[in-house]
Amino acid sequence: MKDQFYQNIQHDIELLKQGEQPKEFMKYVSLLDEDNSFLGNYFNQDGMVLFDELGRIQEVADTLEREENDWFLSLLEEGKTVHDVKPSFHLKDIIHMLSNEKVYFSLFSRTFSGITIKKNVTISCKPMQNFHGQMHLLKNEVERFIQGKFRVVILADGKDRVSKIHTVLEDYEIVSKIGASTEDLQQPGVFVVEGDLDAGFELPLQRIAVITDAELFKQKHKKKTRTQKVSNAERIKSYSEIKPGDNVVHIHHGIGKYIGIETLLVNGIHKDYLHIRYRGEDKLFVPVDQIDLIQKYVASGEKDPKLHKLGGADWKKTKTKVSAAVQDIADELIKLYAKREAEVGYAFEPDGDMQQSFEAAFPYEETEDQLRTIREVKQDMERARPMDRLVCGDVGYGKTEVAIRAVFKAVMEGKQVAFLCPTTILAQQHYETMLERFQEFPIEVGLLSRFRSKKQQTETINGLKKGMVDVVVGTHRILSKDVIYHDLGLLVVDEEQRFGVKHKEKIKQLKTNVDVITLTATPIPRTLHMSMIGVRDLSVIETPPKNRFPVQTYVMEYNGALVREAIERELARGGQAFYLYNRVEDITRKVDEIQMLVPSARVGFAHGQMSETELESVIISFLEGEYDVLVTTTIIETGIDIPNVNTLIIHDADKMGLSQLYQLRGRVGRSNRVAYAYLMHQRDKVLTDVAEKRLQAIKEFTELGSGFKIAMRDLSIRGAGNLLGSQQHGFIDSVGFDLYTQMLEDAIEEKRTGIKKEEIPDLEIVLSTDAYISDEYIPDGYQKIQMYKRVKAMEKEEEYLDLVDELQDRFGDLPLEAEKLLRIARMKVYGKSAGVESIKEVNKIVSIRFTVEGTQNINGALLVEKSMKYGRAVGFTMDNSNLVITIDERKTGKFDPFDVLEEMMLVLPEAKKEIA
């Protein structure tokens, strides 16, 4: 194998030296013998050394160095002397020691300190967009490719699929040929070829475009999928999945490093364990059925935490300290919560006829999530306690409609409503939306913003005071002292995180005894966690409106030709484009540059330093289609809704925050067209690690409804942030964010109910049989952990059947050990509901032990009757007040002992029901 590897590398290096591309792109891997001889031999050869993502390699090397230093220190602390141990080489020293030619692969252009790059080669490659079955869109793209003299290869899996796609293309008058020889591919054209790739791509310089079935019809090779109902808390927690190399927190042992999942043979039984490394040479193997004791470590700092020592007193002390701090905060929160519960606001009446006819006039079909959120908001309004609800829905998912229905409900009962927006433009849009929605009803809507003249503002303020104005929409101007309400009943705050501390204080004062709805697309972590803890109520709108497609997102270096192509493509389909340029001082120069790139485009610009009238006039002109391209600053970030704009180009995207990028991308893709977002950074610019992670995250989260995930990823990148004041930073860092919030939730629950949360003992099962998921069945560690979590969370028979189906669908027939794992999990479900305390096997005898309560509630006669067919293999005894059923494996005869145990466990629900 080694010789073959050498030959492949040498062959590819020769081709690269001659300026040719290798015929096959190999994924080069480092193969190490135990004595590193292969590595040594390879470096001594006159070859080339390839580094894939040096930035990431450097990160890992730094971490390993830190760990090595910690290891030395911990050995010295224990009084062990370290002889003849040579520290590892630094990565930079290794690189300088190599005389070979070096090639560095990097996702983004970047330089590395201490390394001189002699030549930069940019391989321009764009991911292929998704067409979602929109054949007219495919036709336009293919025409563009053919005009650019591209060879377009469409891959289909199997001969039948090839001829089917060929027929579909013919129906839409796209000329294509089945199959492609080398000669064919010298000329531009469309070729339908049998083959399968994960995803398509476009090589603009080589003029090649490859489109797969997945991009054409969004049909990835998935078998049947299930829609799983997950709670909001689970959605939030999905960000914290662990992967090898992550720091983790074990509730009883403290902070360690997760190495991976390993199958160990203990007492002749195979079982999977999570391998966690602690300080020094300490290792902990945690059985997968205790997976819930481990959480990912997320803190507010960038630095790696200090690992704990197994069995040391440090972790105990830390937990005690944090526990005391958490109790104080819990007291504070409980007071806040109790105050909120005790406050008496206004209880609105149930919906009347007017409300129903208003809602029936809504021109679109509401999504299931929207309807649920509307119900939750109305239930809150109909209670005497003032509402404080956070409505988190992705950009363009219909949060505004939820608010408008609440506004209408409040006004119908004679209450006034304040609608607070972070920007003037957004206030203008909400104002116009409400005028349109309320035109058939006797509702007076006012606007307070810098777009209004002094006279208009005075009229609105007087109207509010006298009760003549029902709804006021505005920026922080509505928080001014001179704005007095006649009878305020509802406050709607759009994008609360955009307001400063001073304004937030004013909002707090306005909130007293008033119902409040806060709308947000990317909740900031603090608000997110306050919602989880129950100080605020949380509604999540996760379902996209019908005919809405994810925004196609590209991260790339700035390229004039690409900007021109993107704008021309949008104009060709009658659309408009935003070009985000955040420097006011030379925005006009950028306008001229775009005008030169695309002479046929009408280009306008907008920024926050313009006067109200100028800004309003530009936005309205753009809305009415007088401009094709609007060069603008981040003033468009919140809420501008122009469905005809479906291309966004962001200049210097690496300088933006994650939530900001997400909000900006939400300005496009608000209609039934596929939208494009190009996140550009300067050529040859060195991106910081944080900027690189940020751009990578926004690219990853292209699917609809990912605002929640973005907020959680931002939490991981920026660190955990500040939950309830700076003094908590140290406590969060010492135990990690997840454990901290869990301790806080437990403390709050305890104070609220007066019942201390005891650890509920889990049903313990110890059997001498292999029950695990082997590497051969599911090789991927991450997927394996996901499956173990599902097994652990099993609560009913249907979940067992679903899991069996899904595993067979995704990974093939279940091997015996995986089948037993699921069957044991099902036994656990039945045992828990019937009051079984433990199932243990000792010396070939399995004992099923019931709790005292379980013993009292079981029909022993039915169990005896069911066990008769097994003769003397099944026995019944009483240990004090506990029933114990024993199964002697030596006496089961023709029956498999495992089947006998399962049969006895599956009878339990029936035995329990019979007596009830």
Side-chain angles (χ1 to χ4, degrees):
M1 159 152 189
K2 220 182 280 181
D3 294 341
Q4 181 60 47
F5 181 69
Y6 270 134
Q7 285 166 20
N8 287 339
I9 284 186
Q10 291 305 334
H11 173 70
D12 282 3
I13 286 170
E14 286 311 310
L15 287 173
L16 285 165
K17 280 183 173 174
Q18 291 159 25
E20 291 180 37
Q21 295 282 19
K23 283 204 175 84
E24 291 179 23
F25 281 90
M26 273 192 57
K27 181 74 183 167
Y28 293 100
V29 290
S30 303
L31 293 177
L32 295 174
D33 286 347
E34 281 176 19
D35 59 355
N36 285 1
S37 63
F38 175 49
L39 188 66
N41 293 340
Y42 176 48
F43 279 168
N44 293 333
Q45 292 199 12
D46 184 24
M48 185 185 285
V49 185
L50 304 164
F51 295 87
D52 193 1
E53 289 297 344
L54 187 61
R56 297 286 87 85
I57 297 171
Q58 182 68 60
E59 265 178 36
V60 173
D62 291 345
T63 306
L64 291 172
E65 268 181 43
R66 263 199 310 276
E67 284 173 12
E68 191 175 53
N69 293 339
D70 288 348
W71 178 67
F72 275 122
L73 280 171
S74 62
L75 290 178
L76 290 168
E77 278 170 12
E78 288 165 26
K80 296 178 183 173
T81 46
V82 185
H83 291 294
D84 306 323
V85 177
K86 192 179 174 190
S88 310
F89 287 109
H90 292 297
L91 178 64
K92 279 180 190 163
D93 297 340
I94 294 173
I95 290 171
H96 290 306
M97 280 157 59
L98 300 171
S99 55
N100 316 53
E101 279 188 73
K102 303 174 196 76
V103 176
Y104 302 97
F105 291 120
S106 178
L107 181 63
F108 299 110
S109 291
R110 52 181 303 179
T111 57
F112 303 97
S113 61
I115 295 170
T116 313
I117 307 283
K118 289 180 184 161
K119 189 181 177 190
N120 259 323
V121 179
T122 304
I123 300 169
S124 185
C125 178
K126 279 166 63 180
M128 185 52 65
Q129 71 169 87
N130 283 311
F131 296 98
H132 301 282
Q134 293 193 328
M135 298 311 288
H136 60 281
L137 182 62
L138 174 71
K139 190 177 180 183
N140 292 344
E141 269 310 83
V142 168
E143 282 169 3
R144 184 178 71 81
F145 283 138
I146 299 300
Q147 277 171 4
K149 300 198 166 29
F150 270 70
R151 287 141 293 171
V152 182
V153 178
I154 296 175
L155 291 180
D157 194 7
K159 288 190 170 63
D160 293 347
R161 195 79 187 138
V162 167
S163 63
K164 192 173 178 188
I165 287 177
H166 177 64
T167 311
V168 171
L169 295 177
E170 275 183 344
D171 291 346
Y172 283 88
E173 297 171 359
I174 299 171
V175 180
S176 64
K177 181 183 174 187
I178 293 180
S181 63
T182 316
E183 288 73 36
D184 287 335
L185 290 171
Q186 303 305 312
Q187 299 298 322
V190 180
F191 308 95
V192 186
V193 176
E194 191 179 340
D196 190 19
L197 272 181
D198 239 20
F201 54 88
E202 180 186 332
L203 298 172
L205 302 177
Q206 286 78 14
R207 295 203 165 99
I208 293 172
V210 175
I211 305 170
T212 68
D213 218 344
E215 283 100 24
L216 278 181
F217 302 107
K218 199 70 183 158
Q219 281 184 339
K220 291 227 166 147
H221 298 304
K222 273 188 190 164
K223 304 203 179 150
K224 60 181 175 184
T225 56
R226 285 170 189 75
T227 55
Q228 289 176 327
K229 291 285 175 197
V230 280
S231 71
N232 290 334
E234 279 172 326
R235 285 189 191 109
I236 294 165
K237 287 200 173 108
S238 67
Y239 85 101
S240 55
E241 300 302 351
I242 54 171
K243 53 186 186 298
D246 282 344
N247 292 311
V248 292
V249 183
H250 188 291
I251 288 174
H252 304 312
H253 302 289
I255 301 168
K257 191 168 281 294
Y258 172 61
I259 304 300
I261 195 163
E262 291 180 27
T263 307
L264 302 180
L265 184 65
V266 181
N267 299 332
I269 304 160
H270 288 93
K271 200 169 179 184
D272 274 347
Y273 293 84
L274 302 176
H275 178 185
I276 300 172
R277 200 168 49 68
Y278 283 85
R279 206 142 121 230
E281 295 170 316
D282 295 356
K283 287 178 185 173
L284 180 69
F285 289 95
V286 182
V288 285
D289 53 5
Q290 292 176 22
I291 205 162
D292 49 340
L293 298 178
I294 292 165
Q295 297 161 331
K296 187 173 176 177
Y297 173 85
V298 179
S300 57
E302 290 289 311
K303 283 196 292 192
D304 263 11
K306 195 175 174 189
L307 302 184
H308 283 105
K309 178 145 188 58
L310 277 183
D314 281 3
W315 177 242
K316 225 174 186 172
K317 279 184 199 160
T318 303
K319 257 182 99 176
T320 311
K321 223 187 263 178
V322 174
S323 189
V326 155
Q327 293 296 330
D328 295 344
I329 287 205
D331 282 336
E332 217 177 291
L333 280 175
I334 285 292
K335 275 183 206 154
L336 193 72
Y337 189 82
K339 187 173 170 241
R340 200 185 136 206
E341 286 293 313
E343 275 173 1
V344 179
Y346 178 80
F348 288 88
E349 293 293 320
D351 289 357
D353 295 343
M354 195 88 101
Q355 182 86 27
Q356 284 161 5
S357 60
F358 170 71
E359 292 183 7
F362 184 55
Y364 308 101
E365 192 184 329
E366 300 92 338
T367 64
E368 196 184 314
D369 282 359
Q370 241 181 328
L371 290 171
R372 192 201 65 246
T373 304
I374 289 164
R375 270 197 309 277
E376 288 168 347
V377 167
K378 285 179 181 174
Q379 280 162 8
D380 281 359
M381 290 176 80
E382 287 161 19
R383 288 178 64 188
R385 185 201 80 178
M387 162 169 70
D388 190 0
R389 184 167 286 278
L390 178 66
V391 176
C392 173
D394 229 317
V395 180
Y397 272 34
K399 299 184 296 290
T400 312
E401 180 59 23
V402 172
I404 283 175
R405 292 188 185 188
V407 168
F408 189 86
K409 187 176 177 73
V411 173
M412 283 301 106
E413 289 199 31
K415 291 285 180 182
Q416 288 177 309
V417 180
F419 202 123
L420 181 61
C421 309
T423 64
T424 313
I425 293 167
L426 186 55
Q428 182 74 28
Q429 284 213 308
H430 281 318
Y431 171 66
E432 283 167 11
T433 304
M434 282 195 225
L435 283 180
E436 189 187 328
R437 290 283 279 122
F438 298 151
Q439 63 187 357
E440 303 295 319
F441 300 89
I443 296 175
E444 186 63 40
V445 185
L447 174 65
L448 282 181
S449 78
R450 60 193 183 102
F451 278 174
R452 307 299 268 178
S453 67
K454 189 91 178 87
K455 185 182 172 217
Q456 286 172 317
Q457 290 193 31
T458 311
E459 278 173 16
T460 304
I461 289 167
N462 288 337
L464 282 169
K465 200 172 181 178
K466 291 173 184 165
M468 307 294 286
V469 172
D470 303 305
V471 184
V472 62
V473 186
T475 54
H476 52 82
R477 175 74 182 85
I478 68 174
L479 300 171
S480 310
K481 283 180 185 167
D482 62 335
V483 180
I484 299 159
Y485 297 91
H486 175 68
D487 186 7
L488 185 66
L490 176 67
L491 171 66
V492 181
V493 184
D494 200 355
E495 295 298 342
E496 184 186 42
Q497 70 265 33
R498 305 284 313 239
F499 293 98
V501 178
K502 201 169 73 186
H503 292 141
K504 280 185 182 169
E505 281 308 310
K506 286 183 177 170
I507 293 170
K508 255 186 205 167
Q509 289 161 18
L510 200 58
K511 270 183 178 184
T512 322
N513 295 349
V514 165
D515 282 351
V516 182
I517 303 174
T518 307
L519 309 176
T520 183
T522 47
I524 48 176
R526 175 171 170 166
T527 55
L528 198 73
H529 278 275
M530 297 300 272
S531 305
M532 280 169 70
I533 289 162
V535 174
R536 261 183 170 178
D537 299 306
L538 175 70
S539 293
V540 182
I541 303 179
E542 271 209 325
T543 331
K546 279 188 176 169
N547 303 325
R548 183 67 62 86
F549 301 106
V551 177
Q552 306 287 319
T553 308
Y554 304 102
V555 177
M556 50 189 53
E557 285 190 335
Y558 179 81
N559 177 328
L562 211 136
V563 170
R564 179 176 61 237
E565 182 196 302
I567 294 173
E568 282 176 348
R569 178 198 285 182
E570 189 54 60
L571 301 191
R573 61 177 184 177
Q576 293 165 287
F578 278 132
Y579 189 103
L580 191 118
Y581 188 76
N582 222 5
R583 294 209 301 271
V584 176
E585 59 275 14
D586 59 350
I587 197 165
T588 49
R589 189 181 59 76
K590 184 48 82 177
V591 170
D592 296 340
E593 197 182 299
I594 291 168
Q595 196 68 75
M596 284 166 69
L597 279 171
V598 193
S600 60
R602 297 162 301 165
V603 187
F605 66 92
H607 56 76
Q609 290 175 21
M610 289 173 145
S611 73
E612 293 79 1
T613 20
E614 277 181 299
L615 191 56
E616 187 176 13
S617 126
V618 169
I619 297 288
I620 287 167
S621 302
F622 187 56
L623 258 166
E624 289 171 356
E626 289 173 27
Y627 295 117
D628 299 313
V629 181
L630 187 67
V631 181
T632 169
T633 58
T634 46
I635 193 163
I636 64 157
E637 183 182 337
T638 358
I640 289 191
D641 189 4
I642 308 175
N644 197 37
V645 181
N646 282 300
T647 290
L648 166 72
I649 299 162
I650 301 179
H651 194 86
D652 284 349
D654 54 302
K655 291 179 181 169
M656 309 271 174
L658 191 52
S659 299
Q660 199 176 25
L661 281 170
Y662 191 73
Q663 285 281 4
L664 288 166
R665 190 177 64 183
R667 297 306 107 220
V668 294
R670 300 173 79 94
S671 66
N672 56 1
R673 283 184 180 177
V674 175
Y676 304 91
Y678 300 89
L679 278 56
M680 297 194 164
H681 55 90
Q682 285 173 27
R683 277 185 163 225
D684 307 326
K685 176 166 184 195
V686 187
L687 298 180
T688 65
D689 283 345
V690 171
E692 195 173 320
K693 281 180 189 167
R694 216 180 273 139
L695 292 174
Q696 196 52 30
I698 201 89
K699 198 174 171 199
E700 276 174 39
F701 294 129
T702 51
E703 77 263 28
L704 294 162
S706 49
F708 237 52
K709 287 187 190 150
I710 290 276
M712 297 322 293
R713 176 61 76 91
D714 207 15
L715 176 68
S716 300
I717 291 173
R718 286 189 297 109
N722 184 355
L723 193 68
L724 280 157
S726 53
Q727 74 279 15
Q728 292 306 309
H729 259 304
F731 296 123
I732 293 174
D733 287 357
S734 59
V735 296
F737 193 62
D738 285 342
L739 183 56
Y740 180 88
T741 47
Q742 188 186 316
M743 287 168 83
L744 184 55
E745 278 183 63
D746 290 349
I748 286 172
E749 200 53 38
E750 186 188 323
K751 288 182 190 293
R752 211 180 265 174
T753 57
I755 303 162
K756 188 169 173 59
K757 188 184 173 188
E758 296 297 334
E759 280 190 21
I760 300 159
D762 201 8
L763 194 169
E764 190 186 358
I765 300 183
V766 182
L767 297 172
S768 304
T769 186
D770 283 350
Y772 69 105
I773 300 170
S774 65
D775 283 345
E776 288 72 34
Y777 189 54
I778 302 182
D780 182 68
Y782 173 75
Q783 286 180 333
K784 210 188 259 198
I785 285 183
Q786 291 302 95
M787 283 305 157
Y788 275 123
K789 280 188 174 177
R790 298 268 302 279
V791 172
K792 173 84 180 163
M794 196 188 291
E795 284 179 353
K796 44 185 184 283
E797 172 81 18
E798 296 84 78
E799 288 172 18
Y800 165 78
L801 297 170
D802 276 358
L803 209 44
V804 171
D805 281 355
E806 187 175 332
L807 283 166
Q808 285 175 338
D809 267 358
R810 288 173 63 184
F811 306 105
D813 290 340
L814 287 161
L816 185 61
E817 60 272 16
E819 187 189 312
K820 281 192 172 174
L821 176 78
L822 294 180
R823 284 165 70 187
I824 290 170
R826 180 170 61 165
M827 287 186 219
K828 201 171 190 176
V829 169
Y830 286 130
K832 271 183 176 176
S833 69
V836 174
E837 191 175 275
S838 63
I839 303 169
K840 290 182 180 174
E841 181 177 345
V842 180
N843 298 332
K844 297 199 174 293
I845 294 177
V846 177
S847 303
I848 306 168
R849 184 185 175 84
F850 287 77
T851 60
V852 176
E853 196 183 334
T855 305
Q856 290 164 355
N857 292 336
I858 208 84
N859 184 343
L862 181 69
L863 289 178
V864 172
E865 186 191 319
K866 293 283 182 185
S867 69
M868 296 297 270
K869 64 176 174 186
Y870 304 122
R872 296 177 62 194
V874 179
F876 296 84
T877 57
M878 289 297 288
D879 180 9
N880 295 326
S881 302
N882 303 71
L883 169 66
V884 180
I885 303 174
T886 55
I887 299 165
D888 190 335
E889 292 184 13
R890 292 160 298 195
K891 297 176 182 174
T892 53
K894 61 176 182 178
F895 297 106
D896 182 319
F898 189 83
D899 292 344
V900 177
L901 169 63
E902 187 174 43
E903 175 80 19
M904 292 309 296
M905 292 302 293
L906 298 187
V907 167
L908 293 180
E910 195 185 332
K912 192 183 168 197
K913 279 180 200 158
E914 292 267 325
I915 200 153

